[in-house]
Amino acid sequence: MVGMPYFTDTEQLMPSALNMKRVSIKDIAAKAGVVPSTVSLVLNGKARQMRISAELEERVKKIAEEEGYMPNQTAVSLRTGRSKLLGLIVEDISNVFFASLAKIIEDKANERGFKILYCSTDNDDEKGNDLIKVLHNRGVDGFLITPSPGMQKEVSRLIAQHKPVVLMDRYFPGLSGAYVLADNYSGVADGMKHLLDKGYRNIGYVTNDLGQIQMIEREKAFTDTMGRFLEAPDQKILRLPYHVPTAEAVEMISSFLKENTDLDAVFFATNYLGIFGLESVGQLGLAVPSDLAIVCFDDHDIFRLMVPGITCVRQPIEEIATAAIDLLIRQLEEDETIGEDMHQFKLPSLVIRNST
Amino acid sequence: MVGMPYFTDTEQLMPSALNMKRVSIKDIAAKAGVVPSTVSLVLNGKARQMRISAELEERVKKIAEEEGYMPNQTAVSLRTGRSKLLGLIVEDISNVFFASLAKIIEDKANERGFKILYCSTDNDDEKGNDLIKVLHNRGVDGFLITPSPGMQKEVSRLIAQHKPVVLMDRYFPGLSGAYVLADNYSGVADGMKHLLDKGYRNIGYVTNDLGQIQMIEREKAFTDTMGRFLEAPDQKILRLPYHVPTAEAVEMISSFLKENTDLDAVFFATNYLGIFGLESVGQLGLAVPSDLAIVCFDDHDIFRLMVPGITCVRQPIEEIATAAIDLLIRQLEEDETIGEDMHQFKLPSLVIRNST
DNA sequence: TTTTTCATACAAATCGTTTTAAAAGTATTG
DNA sequence: CAATACTTTTAAAACGATTTGTATGAAAAA
């Protein structure tokens, strides 16, 4: 400590809680009368291997315990190149779907000693790409991403650099990386079959204009089903702009419904669209399901509690999150048996309520 | 580079994207023909101050730009002791209230160059305390916390160590630290006054059993209002255990309502309790508001979309989040004028719908 | 007794930065 | 012309850990 008189003698004798420095490996080493590297070896379980005496091992462990020593994770990261940090990039953390994903992922990650850095892209490609760079630069060990279309290049760069990545909810068809998502096609197909079974024939479809793969697959299931089961399907599709205020979106849905009075059912492609739709239906004073039947992709508390309850296609959120984090951690641990599980589609379930 | 033949010559000439190392300050220095410290000074805007020639400054900046250099944040953190990381500890990230807080906080933090490490306590004191330690150990620059009661000691330790901390949604009355939350008392008082104005007299109250300060203040507003305006108030209060499955909670509310058939209104102390309540009311087939009026603390999409809409006391989430992050960043920047703003109560607003 | 071998712990390099002190060269002054 | 003062850049230490190679002494083998 020569040349570093941070404390006066008195202060050193009575270190107040206020200026107490965090205890480092040097402090432990000093207290144990050994050198820091010895402490490191002991605390990392390499005492046996390095033939450190059992007596010393015990002493060091005891002191570390007493002093409440925790290795400075920043220093560990710098030295080892592993941060025990995972980057979670979602569309919008305040959306229930993503927030639920985030919760499950957090729990599973914590079990394995990982912490989560989260970010929302708001479906902005540039923001998403920036986030990848920033998180990468912060040394996250791996990524969980619900990418927007313009993120393909950055994502593939990560994969090329062998950074562990798992995509969720969307994927890039051309890309070899891992992904986990609901089987959107079969989900919508199930919902559509249910509507047709119930006798609905003039079915409208409300989606957004983002052109994301999962939305395209849902829409394809809609048009395919209509085409297969109806002779001359008159497909009414509304594609709402993504960045539009709630009130305006509701207005657009109302116009759509008023222009297509022959519709007897509407399929909403996401839960937030469904919620807009409910608001619109309420304003127009339409009775559900007698005037108009409703099915929605994604469940929501609202759909369960509404009277009538809203029939929906529920994504297996827990399954998706669990599979995604497992896949990511297996990549981190360089599990070679991962190949066949790289691409997972989880089956959604149809929840039939009184809106159909 | 003598003694470090990481690449063969051929590889060096053709660095594939696969094994390309991240570009470090050394690389920039080598390319510019200077020493790393010079690069650091230039890139940190200290060129002028250190009298580095304008010519060299330009050259270094250009090369850094071309090479897409970003300082390794882990190394920066270790060296400077500042991580540009904020720890966000909430009760449950999958709850809309906290997820909304998280989104706003994320946005504001990003504007200032901070990233967020989030964690959920699930109202488990031990977990919460662990999280504080772990995040502290990871070098977060400051904390935003919705603490559970058992976290007081750890929180006060942070404050004693002059770690910037802002509590949200709850606080510890004895503690000097900063906090921002809704004015729970006046929120419930407003809601109660509204019920009394509408003529309801037999009002029940449903809360949880956590004993958190915000819940206590809400309950106190209920009992005070009842006491002040009614002569012999017969206060019916149900305190639901926190860790109880949904179905069971709904069942308990139903029992409560069946045991107190004289109730003409119920006040729910949080949105998730309100949602349980709606489910119970639905099961019992009670008409709202003719059989039973409902007011809920915290708004929710459901309350707006339900028929009838549910009257609620809406917390100013955006205001709370904005104030909290501002307060935190002011602490980080050692703003001395912070004293008077340390404790902020934001006024909730009464949203009157058709359930009353 | 001298040389090997083992057991044990230490020393030093390293990760990628920042920051302070020092050095080298040029210009100015007395 | 020597001393002083600037300019400009470099060198080295530090942050807190991990990891590899080395040093030391004692016991075993020659």
Side-chain angles (χ1 to χ4, degrees):
Chain A
M1 297 296 262
V2 176
M4 303 172 62
Y6 282 138
F7 305 109
T8 69
D9 280 357
T10 348
E11 278 170 334
Q12 225 161 13
L13 288 173
M14 308 177 54
S16 83
L18 288 181
N19 56 17
M20 220 158 43
K21 293 260 177 279
R22 300 240 326 270
V23 18
S24 82
I25 200 170
K26 281 184 196 166
D27 302 323
I28 306 300
K31 282 230 162 62
V34 295
V35 96
S37 46
T38 306
V39 177
S40 172
L41 292 172
V42 167
L43 264 26
N44 288 315
K46 298 186 180 158
R48 193 59 44 84
Q49 178 188 331
M50 293 311 251
R51 290 182 286 215
I52 285 169
S53 65
E55 180 270 328
L56 179 53
E57 179 178 359
E58 263 325 295
R59 185 151 49 92
V60 168
K61 281 185 176 168
K62 181 152 161 286
I63 293 176
E65 169 77 15
E66 285 169 3
E67 303 288 317
Y69 170 69
M70 295 179 76
N72 178 319
Q73 182 59 46
T74 308
V76 173
S77 299
L78 181 59
R79 175 60 228 242
T80 65
R82 263 159 292 114
S83 62
K84 286 278 177 178
L85 275 178
L86 266 26
L88 173 64
I89 301 180
V90 296
E91 177 177 317
D92 175 6
I93 192 73
S94 68
N95 175 307
V96 243
F97 176 73
F98 298 110
S100 303
L101 275 181
K103 181 59 171 30
I104 297 163
I105 286 168
E106 183 204 335
D107 288 343
K108 305 275 177 195
N110 282 350
E111 285 171 14
R112 312 287 210 111
F114 287 89
K115 290 286 149 196
I116 308 278
L117 269 169
Y118 80 89
C119 305
S120 306
T121 65
D122 296 315
N123 262 322
D124 177 331
D125 293 335
E126 195 186 350
K127 190 174 173 199
N129 287 328
D130 278 353
L131 289 174
I132 289 184
K133 283 187 206 146
V134 171
L135 293 191
H136 189 208
N137 178 254
R138 281 184 178 266
V140 299
D141 291 336
F143 289 86
L144 289 157
I145 309 180
T146 65
S148 55
M151 290 169 71
Q152 172 151 11
K153 216 168 93 186
E154 283 300 325
V155 169
S156 56
R157 180 175 311 183
L158 287 179
I159 294 173
Q161 292 176 355
H162 295 118
K163 256 289 168 200
V165 179
V166 176
L167 304 184
M168 300 178 299
D169 192 46
R170 351 248 161 109
Y171 67 104
F172 298 115
L175 221 65
S176 63
Y179 52 77
V180 183
L181 64 160
D183 187 333
N184 289 288
Y185 191 95
S186 81
V188 172
D190 287 353
M192 288 299 293
K193 246 170 273 172
H194 167 69
L195 282 175
L196 292 167
D197 285 350
K198 286 275 187 172
Y200 299 102
R201 289 294 177 271
N202 284 304
I203 308 174
Y205 189 82
V206 178
T207 181
N208 65 29
D209 65 345
L210 288 177
Q212 296 165 334
I213 184 80
Q214 84 278 18
M215 302 309 283
I216 291 175
E217 287 178 350
R218 291 177 200 172
E219 189 173 323
K220 185 159 191 322
F222 168 73
T223 53
D224 282 1
T225 312
M226 292 294 276
R228 188 171 319 147
F229 292 92
L230 302 179
E231 295 169 16
D234 180 20
Q235 295 176 5
K236 308 269 174 46
I237 299 182
L238 172 63
R239 293 192 186 81
L240 278 179
Y242 182 74
H243 285 291
V244 84
T246 300
E248 206 169 315
V250 171
E251 190 49 48
M252 293 176 77
I253 293 175
S254 294
S255 304
F256 176 72
L257 294 178
K258 280 187 284 191
E259 283 165 17
N260 298 283
T261 46
D262 54 332
L263 287 179
D264 52 15
V266 177
F267 199 119
F268 292 94
T270 77
N271 58 11
Y272 81 88
L273 291 171
I275 291 171
F276 291 166
L278 290 178
E279 201 141 1
S280 162
V281 163
Q283 287 177 9
L284 296 176
L286 296 173
V288 176
S290 54
D291 292 341
L292 190 73
I294 289 180
V295 177
C296 191
F297 201 93
D298 272 0
D299 201 356
H300 196 286
D301 277 340
I302 295 180
F303 300 158
R304 178 171 46 88
L305 290 163
M306 289 282 296
V307 179
I310 305 299
T311 295
C312 70
V313 176
R314 180 190 289 160
Q315 298 202 55
I317 297 188
E318 174 140 12
E319 241 184 289
I320 293 174
T322 306
I325 188 92
D326 279 357
L327 219 45
L328 188 65
I329 289 181
R330 280 169 64 194
Q331 285 184 56
L332 288 170
E333 292 170 349
E334 289 170 9
D335 184 335
E336 299 298 339
T337 70
I338 209 172
E340 60 212 60
D341 298 328
M342 289 274 282
H343 303 160
Q344 300 188 26
F345 292 89
K346 302 295 185 186
L347 281 181
S349 51
L350 181 65
V351 180
I352 298 174
R353 300 202 178 97
N354 299 322
S355 69
T356 51
Chain B
M1 299 293 262
V2 176
M4 304 173 62
Y6 283 138
F7 307 108
T8 69
D9 280 357
T10 347
E11 278 171 332
Q12 225 161 12
L13 288 173
M14 308 178 51
S16 83
L18 289 181
N19 56 17
M20 221 159 41
K21 294 257 177 281
R22 301 242 324 273
V23 16
S24 82
I25 201 170
K26 282 185 196 167
D27 302 322
I28 305 299
K31 282 229 161 62
V34 295
V35 96
S37 47
T38 308
V39 177
S40 172
L41 293 171
V42 168
L43 265 25
N44 287 317
K46 299 187 179 156
R48 192 60 44 86
Q49 179 188 331
M50 293 310 252
R51 293 182 282 214
I52 284 169
S53 64
E55 181 270 329
L56 179 54
E57 179 177 1
E58 264 324 296
R59 185 151 48 91
V60 168
K61 278 186 177 166
K62 182 153 159 285
I63 292 176
E65 169 78 14
E66 285 169 2
E67 303 288 317
Y69 169 70
M70 296 178 75
N72 178 319
Q73 182 60 45
T74 307
V76 173
S77 300
L78 181 59
R79 174 61 227 238
T80 64
R82 266 160 291 114
S83 62
K84 287 278 177 177
L85 231 42
L86 266 26
L88 172 64
I89 301 180
V90 295
E91 178 178 317
D92 175 4
I93 192 71
S94 68
N95 175 307
V96 243
F97 176 73
F98 298 110
S100 303
L101 274 181
K103 182 58 173 28
I104 296 162
I105 287 169
E106 183 205 336
D107 288 343
K108 306 274 179 199
N110 282 349
E111 284 172 16
R112 313 286 210 112
F114 287 91
K115 290 285 148 196
I116 308 277
L117 268 170
Y118 80 88
C119 305
S120 306
T121 65
D122 297 315
N123 263 322
D124 177 333
D125 292 336
E126 196 186 350
K127 190 174 173 198
N129 287 328
D130 278 353
L131 289 175
I132 288 184
K133 283 187 205 146
V134 171
L135 293 192
H136 189 208
N137 178 253
R138 282 185 177 265
V140 299
D141 291 336
F143 289 87
L144 290 157
I145 309 180
T146 64
S148 56
M151 289 170 72
Q152 172 151 9
K153 216 168 94 188
E154 284 299 324
V155 169
S156 56
R157 181 176 309 184
L158 287 180
I159 294 173
Q161 293 176 354
H162 296 117
K163 255 291 167 201
V165 179
V166 177
L167 303 184
M168 300 179 299
D169 191 47
R170 352 249 162 108
Y171 68 103
F172 298 115
L175 220 65
S176 64
Y179 51 79
V180 182
L181 64 160
D183 187 332
N184 289 288
Y185 191 95
S186 81
V188 171
D190 288 352
M192 289 299 294
K193 246 170 272 170
H194 167 70
L195 281 175
L196 292 166
D197 284 349
K198 286 276 186 171
Y200 300 102
R201 289 294 177 272
N202 284 305
I203 306 175
Y205 190 80
V206 177
T207 181
N208 64 29
D209 65 346
L210 288 177
Q212 295 165 334
I213 184 82
Q214 84 278 18
M215 301 309 284
I216 290 175
E217 287 178 350
R218 290 178 200 173
E219 188 172 324
K220 184 160 192 321
F222 167 75
T223 53
D224 282 1
T225 313
M226 291 293 276
R228 186 171 322 145
F229 292 93
L230 302 180
E231 294 170 14
D234 180 18
Q235 294 176 5
K236 308 268 173 45
I237 299 182
L238 170 63
R239 292 193 186 80
L240 277 179
Y242 183 74
H243 284 290
V244 83
T246 299
E248 207 169 316
V250 172
E251 188 50 45
M252 293 175 77
I253 294 175
S254 293
S255 305
F256 176 72
L257 294 178
K258 279 187 285 191
E259 284 166 16
N260 297 283
T261 45
D262 54 333
L263 288 179
D264 53 13
V266 178
F267 200 118
F268 292 94
T270 77
N271 57 12
Y272 80 87
L273 292 171
I275 290 173
F276 290 166
L278 290 178
E279 200 141 0
S280 163
V281 164
Q283 287 176 9
L284 296 177
L286 296 172
V288 177
S290 54
D291 292 341
L292 191 73
I294 289 179
V295 176
C296 191
F297 201 93
D298 272 1
D299 201 356
H300 196 287
D301 276 339
I302 294 180
F303 300 158
R304 179 170 46 87
L305 290 162
M306 289 282 297
V307 179
I310 305 300
T311 294
C312 71
V313 176
R314 181 191 288 160
Q315 298 203 55
I317 297 187
E318 172 139 15
E319 240 183 291
I320 293 174
T322 306
I325 188 92
D326 279 356
L327 220 45
L328 188 65
I329 288 180
R330 281 169 63 194
Q331 286 184 54
L332 288 170
E333 291 169 350
E334 290 170 7
D335 184 337
E336 299 297 340
T337 71
I338 208 173
E340 60 212 60
D341 298 328
M342 288 274 281
H343 303 161
Q344 299 188 27
F345 292 89
K346 302 294 185 185
L347 281 181
S349 51
L350 182 65
V351 180
I352 298 173
R353 300 203 178 97
N354 298 322
S355 68
T356 51

